[in-house]
């Protein structure tokens, strides 16, 4: 472009020196000085037909060694734009330059017109670009060395190449002027990373105010990608994550922001709030303490209240108080969690332990649910495995409990709780099995001792200890320790109110202790708990019959003999008592006659095998209508106890033998004659 204006001003053929000057001048001069001396040639190109007039002719007489090829670069000091290569005439030439005529200052249409005209006039020179790719046609005047490289100067008519360097000038890049920018638009500069990040931040803030947290997070993420160490963008994205319920991601961003700017109160306050939302009040309060000036009480209230409830729950567990107190404290703490935040793992474990402490089938089921929830998140969680194992152990499923404890140890071989509970369950199982073996072989006392020792292994296990107390009560029944057996059954029931087997054992113990009224009440309460058990009505009828028998005269007690006494023992006891209590021997004792009468009745009944059988079975106390379900013969036989009916038919009762309902003793339940001595015995 620069040669364009020189060709317009001077139609005459220029010299090589003029051509070089016009090539590097930034503005076309008003008056051209064609004879300004030039000390050095500039960028060499392919020599033209007039090369004999060019300084290259002199240069061709010397070999073009690599050092000589670099010589123009060392000798020439060319400046950019308006500075000339000739130091002696630079000041005078600078004053003649008109800056308004620079091609970049022209109108675009004028630049296009001049470029087209220049291209038409200099088509041949344009075709000679990249001259270093063609072999020069004019050989040097003297033969060069083996690998000569000639230095060339710019021909007179060689135009500028608009920033495209010739091959010969490739090593002289620093000497030529920098090419002007092309197609640049100064009004729209390329934004920097910081400016682009600020734009993304502004968009993120706008979306955050619109509660479009997903798009806000995306904009903040773009800003962070451009400026990863800017804490403001991290803190803003943490706020968006927090509002979107992604508290773990919010915590990570906010921690990075605080690491980059540790003393920023805004970042610290946000971090403390995230800790509170996640259920980590201790860390929240520690973070509040780093803020200067100190935050308000309102900001810290939620964290302090949460910490209070969590500590109350932990204290309740440690003291062994009611599990419901633990659950209440945890419920209050969970109300202060962030919306959508998951319950902390520690709190869930505390809730599971509280359910174990409460006991009962429902509570053990809830404890298992808590453990399973944790195991779904991490199947290798040793604490969750121990929690579920303890729930199974409390429900009596010791084999499954042992499997869970062992799995917990595979996850963490040093987990002390797993070791403790595994040893406890194994020891308890071993002692219980030893006690069962002794009971089956009839070693009642040895079995009793084994069960007693097993009760001391784990006093907190309500389910297992309830079974051990029931087993020990059975041993006491065999040892005729009825009242102690009743006490063991009551302990078993207190540990597990739904333990029906212990209630049945208690009812039997009450009967053997001849506390029939209590036995009847116990059997009826069992029937209410388990109305589908068909054996319970039979036990109720037996107990009621025994209650009636206990309310009548006890002939065995009157005679002072046992229920297994034989006929001779009964006769001997009768004779002795009859002499002692005869009215003639006790004239001043008004009750002597009544005692003597009872002694006679007892002897009359017990000395007769049939009457004694009816007395022992209680048949004499039965209402005949009860035998047919309260409706006589038309009422069917549904109300009859089959065993009682069998004994009646085979023992000479109402439906068998020759005595009918009356028997030989004066009818159903007849009494002996007053004053008489059965069997013809006469006092004498």
């Amino acid at each position: 472009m620069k040669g364009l204006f020189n060709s317009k001003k001077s139609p005459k053929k220029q010299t090589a020196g003029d051509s070089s000057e016009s090539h590097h001048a930034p503005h076309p001069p008003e008056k051209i000085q064609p004879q300004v001396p030039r000390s050095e040639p500039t960028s060499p190109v392919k020599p033209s037909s007039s090369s004999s007039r060019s300084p290259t002719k002199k240069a061709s007489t010397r070999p073009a060694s690599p050092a000589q090829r670099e010589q123009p670069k060392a000798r020439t000091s060319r400046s950019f734009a308006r500075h000339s290569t000739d130091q002696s005439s630079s000041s005078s030439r600078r004053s003649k330059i008109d800056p308004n005529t620079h091609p970049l200052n022209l109108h675009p249409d004028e630049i296009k017109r001049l470029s087209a005209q220049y291209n038409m006039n200099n088509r041949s020179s344009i075709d000679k670009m990249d001259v270093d790719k063609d072999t020069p046609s004019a050989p040097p005047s003297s033969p060069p060395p083996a690998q000569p490289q000639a230095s060339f100067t710019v021909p007179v008519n060689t135009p500028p190449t608009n920033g495209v360097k010739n091959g010969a000038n490739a090593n002289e890049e620093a000497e030529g002027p920098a090419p002007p920018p092309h197609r640049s638009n100064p009004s729209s500069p390329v934004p920097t990373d910081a400016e682009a990040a600020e734009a993304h931040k502004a968009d993120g803030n706008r979306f955050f105010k619109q509660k479009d947290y997903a798009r806000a997070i995306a904009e903040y993420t773009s800003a962070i990608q451009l400026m990863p160490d800017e804490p403001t963008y991290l803190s803003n994205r943490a706020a968006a994550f927090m509002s979107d319920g992604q508290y773990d991601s919010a915590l990570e961003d906010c921690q990075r922001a605080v690491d980059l700017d540790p003393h920023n109160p805004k970042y610290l306050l946000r971090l403390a709030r995230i800790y509170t939302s996640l259920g980590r009040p201790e860390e929240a309060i520690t973070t509040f303490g780093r803020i200067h000036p100190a935050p308000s009480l309102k900001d810290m209230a939620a964290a302090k209240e949460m910490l209070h409830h969590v500590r109350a729950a932990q204290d309740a567990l440690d003291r062994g108080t009611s599990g419901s107190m633990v659950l209440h404290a945890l419920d209050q703490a969970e109300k202060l969690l962030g919306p959508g935040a998951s319950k902390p793992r520690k709190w869930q474990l505390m809730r599971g332990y509280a359910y174990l402490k409460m006991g009962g089938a429902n509570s053990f089921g809830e404890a298992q649910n808590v453990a399973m929830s944790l195991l779904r998140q991490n199947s290798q969680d040793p604490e969750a495995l121990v929690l579920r194992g303890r729930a199974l152990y409390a429900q009596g499923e010791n084999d499954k409990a042992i499997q869970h404890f062992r799995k917990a140890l595979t996850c963490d071989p040093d987990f002390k709780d797993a070791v403790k509970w595994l040893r406890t369950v194994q020891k308890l199982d071993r002692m219980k099995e030893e006690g069962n073996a002794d009971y089956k072989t009839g070693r009642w006392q040895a079995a009793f001792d084994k069960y007693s020792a097993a009760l001391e292994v784990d006093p907190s296990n309500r389910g297992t200890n309830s079974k051990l107390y029931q087993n020990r009560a059975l041993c006491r029944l065999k040892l005729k320790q009825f009242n102690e057996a009743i006490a063991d059954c009551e302990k078993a029931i207190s540990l597990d109110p739904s333990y029906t087997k212990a209630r049945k054992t208690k009812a039997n113990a009450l009967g053997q202790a001849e506390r029939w009224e209590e036995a009847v009440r116990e059997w009826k309460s069992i029937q209410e708990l388990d109305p589908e058990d068909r054996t319970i009505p039979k036990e109720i009828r037996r107990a009621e019959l025994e209650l009636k028998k206990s309310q009548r005269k006890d002939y065995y007690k009157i005679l002072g003999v046992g229920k297994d006494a034989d006929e001779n023992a009964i006769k001997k006891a009768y004779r002795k008592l009859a002499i002692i209590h005869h009215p003639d021997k006790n004239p001043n004792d008004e009750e002597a006659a009544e005692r003597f009468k009872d002694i006679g009745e007892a002897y009359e009944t017990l000395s007769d095998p049939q009457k004694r059988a009816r007395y022992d079975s209680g048949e004499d106390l039965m209402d005949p209508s009860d035998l047919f379900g309260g409706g006589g013969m038309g009422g069917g036989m549904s109300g009859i106890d089959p065993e009682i009916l069998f004994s009646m038919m085979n023992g000479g009762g109402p439906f068998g033998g020759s005595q009918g309902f009356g028997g030989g003793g004066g009818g159903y339940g007849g009494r002996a004659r007053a004053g008489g001595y059965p069997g013809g015995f006469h006092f004498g």
Side-chain angles (χ1 to χ4, degrees):
M1 294 295 292
K2 299 171 187 175
L4 172 64
F5 299 103
N6 290 334
S7 62
K8 287 182 64 178
K9 294 293 182 177
S10 177
K12 296 181 181 182
K13 189 175 183 180
Q14 297 176 343
T15 63
D18 295 337
S19 176
S20 174
E21 182 179 345
S22 63
H23 175 72
H24 292 283
H27 302 284
E30 296 177 359
K31 294 181 181 181
I32 300 175
Q33 302 291 335
Q35 297 180 356
V36 174
R38 291 292 302 273
S39 60
E40 296 292 346
T42 59
S43 59
V45 295
K46 184 176 180 180
S48 62
S49 59
S50 61
S51 60
S52 60
R53 299 174 60 186
S54 173
T56 58
K57 181 177 181 181
K58 179 187 274 187
S60 63
T61 60
R62 291 178 294 177
S65 63
Q68 289 172 334
R69 287 198 300 270
E70 296 295 332
Q71 185 177 0
K73 180 175 181 180
R75 292 166 55 191
T76 305
S77 175
R78 308 188 63 179
S79 61
F80 178 74
R82 300 189 181 103
H83 296 282
S84 173
T85 58
D86 191 348
Q87 299 297 331
S88 61
S89 60
S90 60
S91 60
S92 62
R93 191 174 292 129
R94 187 183 299 112
S95 62
K96 297 178 182 180
I97 295 174
D98 185 5
N100 295 326
T101 61
H102 192 279
L104 294 180
N105 295 328
L106 294 177
H107 192 275
D109 294 338
E110 183 66 16
I111 294 175
K112 291 180 181 180
R113 186 185 66 79
L114 294 176
S115 298
Q117 182 179 357
Y118 175 77
N119 293 335
M120 294 298 295
N121 293 336
N122 299 278
R123 176 65 63 182
S124 61
S125 63
I126 293 177
D127 294 337
K128 297 178 182 179
M129 293 293 289
D130 298 329
V131 295
D132 55 340
K133 297 180 182 179
D134 297 329
T135 304
S137 58
S141 58
S142 61
Q147 293 181 352
Q149 180 66 33
S151 298
F152 302 98
T153 59
V154 180
V156 175
N157 294 328
T158 302
T161 60
N162 197 19
V164 179
K165 296 189 287 285
N166 294 328
N169 286 340
N171 296 328
E172 300 181 7
E173 180 179 357
E175 295 178 0
H182 295 277
R183 297 182 182 178
S184 62
N185 188 4
S187 61
S188 59
V190 178
T192 63
D193 288 348
E195 294 172 343
E198 283 295 321
H200 286 299
K201 172 192 169 185
D203 293 339
N205 292 345
R206 185 176 73 256
F207 289 131
F208 185 87
K209 292 178 181 179
Q210 297 173 1
K211 297 185 178 181
D212 190 352
Y213 302 119
R215 298 180 67 180
I217 291 170
E219 292 295 335
Y220 292 139
T221 301
S222 299
I224 292 170
Q225 290 174 350
L226 293 171
M227 303 289 291
D229 294 331
E230 176 55 47
T232 302
Y233 306 149
L234 292 167
S235 177
N236 286 10
R237 190 171 70 171
F241 275 132
M242 188 176 179
S243 300
D244 198 37
Q246 303 181 43
Y247 296 98
D248 292 330
S249 300
L251 177 62
E252 182 180 355
D253 276 356
C254 204
Q255 285 176 334
R256 288 178 56 193
V258 170
D259 290 340
L260 294 170
D261 190 357
H263 304 292
N264 190 306
K266 182 178 180 180
Y267 303 160
L268 291 171
L269 181 61
R270 180 163 292 160
L271 179 61
R273 289 174 176 172
I274 294 173
Y275 278 134
T276 304
S277 299
L278 287 171
R280 297 161 65 173
E282 298 91 344
E283 295 167 274
I285 292 177
T286 302
T287 305
F288 279 127
R290 296 170 56 186
I291 301 175
H292 299 287
S296 64
L297 295 177
K298 182 179 180 181
D299 291 332
M300 302 176 62
K304 288 185 175 180
E305 184 179 357
M306 179 183 291
L307 182 61
H308 169 73
H309 292 309
V310 173
R311 287 179 175 174
Q314 188 63 56
D315 291 343
L317 279 177
D318 295 340
R319 291 195 306 267
T321 55
S322 174
S324 59
M325 297 297 295
V326 180
L327 298 180
H328 175 73
L330 291 175
D331 289 339
Q332 297 301 316
E334 289 172 1
K335 292 179 181 179
L336 301 173
L337 292 173
S342 58
K343 300 175 183 178
R345 174 177 169 277
K346 178 182 176 181
W347 296 8
Q348 295 187 60
L349 290 172
M350 293 171 63
R351 184 176 291 274
Y353 298 147
Y355 282 128
L356 291 178
K357 186 177 292 293
M358 292 173 65
N362 294 335
S363 297
F364 295 146
E366 291 294 335
Q368 285 209 56
N369 292 338
V370 172
M372 291 302 298
S373 176
L374 292 172
L375 290 173
R376 279 191 290 269
Q377 300 174 13
N378 179 13
S379 61
Q380 304 297 318
D381 187 346
E383 291 182 287
L385 288 169
V386 170
L387 175 61
R388 186 160 191 260
R390 290 183 60 185
L392 292 169
Y393 164 56
Q395 291 174 313
E397 301 183 38
N398 291 0
D399 293 338
K400 293 182 179 179
I402 290 174
Q403 293 177 2
H404 281 72
F405 297 145
R406 287 176 174 168
K407 186 176 180 181
L409 287 175
T410 60
C411 299
D412 184 2
D414 298 328
F415 191 29
K416 295 182 179 180
D417 279 353
V419 175
K420 168 189 171 184
W421 289 109
L422 178 60
R423 292 177 177 175
T424 298
V425 177
Q426 289 176 336
K427 180 178 180 180
L428 197 59
D429 273 353
R430 183 178 65 256
M431 299 183 71
K432 182 180 177 183
E433 291 300 325
E434 291 175 356
N436 292 343
D438 289 337
Y439 183 86
K440 291 177 182 178
T441 56
R443 296 193 293 269
W444 319 120
Q445 188 61 47
F448 174 84
D449 295 338
K450 293 291 194 315
Y451 292 139
S452 299
L455 285 168
E456 299 176 358
V457 174
D458 181 17
S460 64
N461 190 330
R462 300 169 66 90
T464 300
N465 289 346
S466 176
K467 295 178 176 62
L468 290 173
Y469 275 120
Q470 196 276 145
N471 290 356
R472 196 172 75 168
L474 293 175
C475 295
R476 289 186 183 275
L477 287 179
K478 297 295 183 180
L479 296 172
K480 306 298 182 181
Q481 300 174 1
F482 304 122
N483 292 331
E484 291 81 356
I486 294 171
D488 280 348
C489 290
E490 289 175 348
K491 291 178 181 178
I493 295 170
S494 65
L495 294 174
D496 186 2
S498 63
Y499 194 15
T500 306
K501 189 174 181 180
R503 290 181 178 274
K504 291 181 178 181
T505 302
K506 178 184 177 182
N508 288 328
L510 288 170
Q512 294 188 42
E514 297 185 355
R515 296 160 59 177
W516 294 109
E517 187 174 357
E518 297 177 54
V520 171
R521 287 198 300 267
E522 189 65 29
W523 281 116
K524 288 183 177 180
S525 65
I526 295 172
Q527 187 179 34
E528 293 177 358
L529 294 174
D530 189 6
E532 301 297 328
D533 190 348
R534 295 184 179 181
T535 63
I536 297 177
K538 173 184 173 181
E539 297 296 338
I540 293 175
R541 289 193 295 269
R542 284 182 179 277
E544 289 176 342
L545 179 60
E546 293 297 332
L547 176 60
K548 290 180 180 180
K549 289 167 64 177
S550 67
Q551 292 173 348
R552 69 181 179 180
K553 292 181 179 180
D554 188 349
Y555 292 153
Y556 292 100
K557 187 176 182 180
I558 291 174
L559 295 179
V561 295
K563 292 183 178 181
D564 56 349
D566 58 7
E567 184 177 356
N568 292 329
I570 292 173
K571 184 180 292 187
K572 182 178 180 180
Y574 166 71
R575 289 178 177 178
K576 179 180 178 180
L577 293 173
I579 294 173
I580 295 174
H581 297 286
H582 195 280
D584 296 342
K585 296 289 183 178
N586 301 280
N588 298 325
D589 188 356
E590 298 179 357
E591 296 181 357
E594 187 67 25
R595 290 196 301 272
F596 185 77
K597 180 180 178 181
D598 291 340
I599 293 170
E601 291 179 359
Y603 179 73
E604 181 180 358
T605 301
L606 297 180
S607 61
D608 188 334
Q610 293 182 352
K611 290 183 179 180
R612 182 178 178 180
R614 293 178 60 202
Y615 175 83
D616 290 341
S617 63
E619 296 173 17
D620 57 339
L621 300 176
M622 286 185 176
D623 186 349
S625 63
D626 292 340
L627 300 176
F628 304 100
M633 295 298 294
M637 305 291 287
S638 60
I640 303 176
D641 188 336
E643 293 186 7
I644 296 177
L645 180 61
F646 180 78
S647 63
M648 291 169 59
M649 295 177 65
N650 293 279
F655 294 96
S658 61
Q659 298 185 22
F661 281 95
Y668 191 85
R671 301 171 64 88
R673 296 186 302 272
Y677 292 91
F681 180 78
H682 299 279
F683 179 78

